[in-house]
Amino acid sequence: MRGFSRVTVGLLFISLLTSCAYEIVGGPDHLSIAAPGKEKPLRLFVGLSGTEEILLDTAPLLLVGEFHELKALFAQRLQGFSLFQKVLYPVVSHDRPDLSLRVFLQITFERDWTEIPKIFLTQLLFGLPATLFHVEHHFVARGDLEIMHRDQIVKKYTAISDVIMRRQMFAIPPRMFGQQAASQARDSMMADLLHQLDEDRELLSQFETSL
C-alpha cells in the first residue's frame, strides 16, 4: 500500500511538471473563410442536402455546439462566402434550385493506440518516462461534395483535414483543448471545399440564370 501511495504521489508530481506539455499539430494550413475578392456572387440559387456523421463519443475532452449540425454550419458558411446568390437549406419540395449540392460531412476521433501501453510502462517505472512519452490523438474531418444539375453530376470535390492533439503522459490540457483541435479540423475541411468551389467559378457560371 505504501508503495502504491508513492507511485500515486509521483504521478501527481509528474502531472504538475508536464501541465504545459501539450500542443495541436498537423493538418493543412488553415485557410481563412472569406468572401472571394470583389467579384459579385454568381446568379445562382443552390440547394444543399446530404448526410453527416459525427464519431466523437470517445473523445477525451468536451465537444459541444456545431459538431452536431455540420450541414447547417456548412450552409451558413457557404452563404457567407458569397459565391452564390442564395443557398437553400434545408431544401423543400417546392424549391427549384439552379444547382443541387450534395454533401457528406464527417468528423471522427482516432485515439492513439499506444496510450494504454505507455500508461502501464510509466506506472511500472514510477513515473520516470512521463516526460519522454507522448500520445497523439487525431481529429479527422472529411468532406465530399457533388454538384448536380438535372440529375447529372457536374463536379466532385473532396477535402480532408487531420489535426493532431499531442500531449505528454499525464499532462493536463485546458478544458476546451479537444474542442479547439476538433474545430480546427472541421474548419480547415470546410474552408478547403469553399476554395475549391471558388476555383471553379467559371465552370459554375455556365448555369447562371438571366435576371
Side-chain angles (χ1 to χ4, degrees):
M1 181 65 69
R2 184 175 299 176
F4 177 77
S5 299
R6 289 175 181 173
V7 172
T8 302
V9 172
L11 293 178
L12 289 175
F13 179 69
I14 290 294
S15 70
L16 292 175
L17 292 179
T18 59
S19 60
C20 294
Y22 49 82
E23 60 179 338
I24 296 175
V25 296
D29 293 334
H30 185 95
L31 300 168
S32 62
I33 303 177
K38 296 182 180 179
E39 297 181 81
K40 294 181 179 179
L42 296 172
R43 298 189 304 274
L44 292 171
F45 281 27
V46 299
L48 180 69
S49 62
T51 59
E52 58 188 52
E53 187 175 37
I54 301 96
L55 303 174
L56 299 175
D57 294 341
T58 59
L61 298 171
L62 181 66
L63 296 168
V64 296
E66 313 92 278
F67 294 105
H68 299 286
E69 300 174 351
L70 294 179
K71 287 184 297 181
L73 180 64
F74 185 71
Q76 175 186 336
R77 293 186 175 176
L78 182 60
Q79 183 67 65
F81 195 58
S82 299
L83 177 60
F84 302 111
Q85 184 174 343
K86 188 173 182 61
V87 177
L88 304 172
Y89 178 83
V91 180
V92 295
S93 58
H94 62 266
D95 285 333
R96 294 291 183 269
D98 302 303
L99 292 173
S100 296
L101 275 59
R102 187 165 58 195
V103 295
F104 170 69
L105 304 175
Q106 181 188 66
I107 300 181
T108 60
F109 173 75
E110 299 177 1
R111 184 178 293 275
D112 188 340
W113 68 270
T114 68
E115 182 177 22
I116 293 178
K118 287 175 180 177
I119 290 174
F120 176 77
L121 185 58
T122 302
Q123 291 177 338
L124 187 66
L125 298 177
F126 301 96
L128 295 178
T131 56
L132 302 177
F133 288 162
H134 66 269
V135 293
E136 294 184 348
H137 301 307
H138 292 248
F139 287 94
V140 181
R142 178 187 176 97
D144 295 305
L145 187 154
E146 293 179 345
I147 298 180
M148 309 284 295
H149 180 253
R150 297 177 181 174
D151 298 325
Q152 298 293 320
I153 297 177
V154 176
K155 191 74 179 284
K156 293 183 178 181
Y157 306 89
T158 295
I160 300 175
S161 177
D162 183 357
V163 173
I164 301 169
M165 186 175 68
R166 175 186 291 167
R167 63 174 177 81
Q168 286 184 353
M169 296 300 299
F170 306 110
I172 304 175
R175 180 171 174 266
M176 301 300 288
F177 193 58
Q179 182 92 12
Q180 181 182 351
S183 296
Q184 184 173 323
R186 177 202 64 197
D187 292 346
S188 293
M189 176 268 290
M190 290 188 177
D192 192 356
L193 286 178
L194 294 180
H195 283 278
Q196 289 184 62
L197 280 170
D198 187 44
E199 289 176 355
D200 278 335
R201 171 182 285 266
E202 184 175 350
L203 169 67
L204 299 173
S205 67
Q206 302 175 37
F207 304 98
E208 283 187 298
T209 56
S210 56
L211 297 179

